[in-house]
Amino acid sequence: MMLLKRTHKVKDERIENTRNMIYKELYHIIMACCVISMLVKTYKYGIGNQDFVLEYIIIFGGSLYYLARSVSLGVFSDEVEMHDRQSKTPLSKKTLYGSIGFAVVMSIVMGVNSAVSYAEGSSQGLWYFTLVALVSILIYLPFLLLLSGGIFYISKKISSKKQEDDK
């Protein structure tokens, strides 16, 4: 009967923290390997999204799992609070700045690609770049702001509510 009974072992907090630090480092290494794999595939075989399916699943799946677990455990709001205490820029603003930066970089890349691929002269290339870059910013900036900002605020709200329910 003792085989079925669970015993609660005393865990050393230092060991648990070290183990968590190792898992965090491993997560960052795996994400870096996925990004490097995507860059190598792009350089070697050309640009194609169908070649990156596994990398996308690993990167976005791991990130979404971490977000869902931290929100469901009520830890996300604590992480945001700790970050805001230690940093001059709040995490909410960093999220918005990241979305804006990503939208601008993505629109510049699309503008350059359009100018290089389709323009027949430098003046037409400048016009294509400007037009495509501006339209891309107008399309992607609101979408990315709503997506990242919305996910951040909803996650923080749910995590705070979960934390209050636990008390």
Side-chain angles (χ1 to χ4, degrees):
M1 204 48 141
M2 288 296 282
L3 294 174
L4 300 177
K5 191 174 184 181
R6 275 191 157 174
T7 58
H8 296 285
K9 295 181 181 178
V10 177
K11 294 182 180 179
D12 186 4
E13 188 174 322
R14 181 184 56 84
I15 294 172
E16 288 296 317
N17 287 336
T18 305
R19 184 177 293 150
N20 289 338
M21 185 180 67
I22 292 169
Y23 286 138
K24 183 179 176 181
E25 291 169 355
L26 180 63
Y27 175 77
H28 289 294
I29 290 170
I30 290 171
M31 293 299 155
C33 288
C34 287
V35 170
I36 290 169
S37 171
M38 291 170 76
L39 292 173
V40 167
K41 284 181 181 179
T42 301
Y43 177 73
K44 192 170 184 178
Y45 303 116
I47 296 176
N49 289 337
Q50 68 274 8
D51 297 332
F52 302 142
V53 174
L54 181 61
E55 287 87 350
Y56 285 148
I57 290 170
I58 292 170
I59 291 173
F60 293 119
S63 300
L64 288 175
Y65 176 77
Y66 178 80
L67 177 67
R69 286 295 292 165
S70 65
V71 167
S72 69
L73 294 172
V75 178
F76 184 76
S77 59
D78 289 337
E79 289 177 349
V80 171
E81 184 179 328
M82 290 300 295
H83 176 274
D84 290 349
R85 276 191 214 160
Q86 296 172 352
S87 178
K88 291 181 181 179
T89 308
L91 193 58
S92 59
K93 285 188 179 179
K94 283 185 179 180
T95 303
L96 294 178
Y97 295 155
S99 297
I100 292 169
F102 184 67
V104 168
V105 167
M106 190 167 59
S107 66
I108 288 172
V109 167
M110 291 175 135
V112 168
N113 182 37
S114 179
V116 169
S117 298
Y118 303 112
E120 294 179 1
S122 61
S123 62
Q124 189 179 27
L126 183 61
W127 173 249
Y128 282 5
F129 170 78
T130 306
L131 186 65
V132 170
L134 288 177
V135 170
S136 296
I137 286 176
L138 290 175
I139 291 172
Y140 290 112
L141 186 61
F143 174 73
L144 290 172
L145 285 174
L146 285 174
L147 183 69
S148 64
I151 289 173
F152 177 80
Y153 286 113
I154 290 170
S155 299
K156 188 174 176 185
K157 190 173 186 177
I158 292 171
S159 180
S160 296
K161 191 174 187 179
K162 176 71 175 167
Q163 196 175 39
E164 288 175 8
D165 291 344
D166 289 343
K167 289 181 181 180

